Amino acid sequence: SNPGTSHADVSITFCVPGEEEESDIPFQFSGFTLFVDKRSQEYLREAVIDFKDDGLSRQLSIKAPHLK
């Protein structure tokens, strides 16, 4: 939300097939498709999404250096 501003934030939301927006850009991965909001695409270049599993907890880490 609010890409390119000092209030920018990035998040990942699960959606079932058919809930994505027509303007979303699909990226195919093994087992799933990631949809990126078209107006956010330029701010997510060089972004890294990492799944961390330390045995006790699991979480997604998102680093987007061009978001703000």
Side-chain angles (χ1 to χ4, degrees):
S1 60
N2 303 309
T5 71
S6 60
H7 300 289
D9 189 25
V10 63
S11 65
I12 295 178
T13 304
F14 173 80
C15 69
V16 296
E19 285 187 348
E20 66 276 358
E21 298 292 325
E22 189 173 312
S23 62
D24 289 347
I25 301 165
F27 293 89
Q28 290 293 137
F29 292 92
S30 178
F32 71 97
T33 303
L34 173 69
F35 291 93
V36 174
D37 176 75
K38 187 175 184 172
R39 69 183 186 101
S40 300
Q41 180 184 16
E42 69 178 275
Y43 300 103
L44 295 175
R45 70 183 186 283
E46 298 179 22
V48 175
I49 301 172
D50 189 22
F51 178 73
K52 296 182 179 185
D53 182 355
D54 66 8
L56 298 173
S57 64
R58 297 176 182 164
Q59 66 180 10
L60 285 173
S61 168
I62 306 167
K63 294 179 182 174
H66 302 288
L67 186 62
K68 298 181 184 177

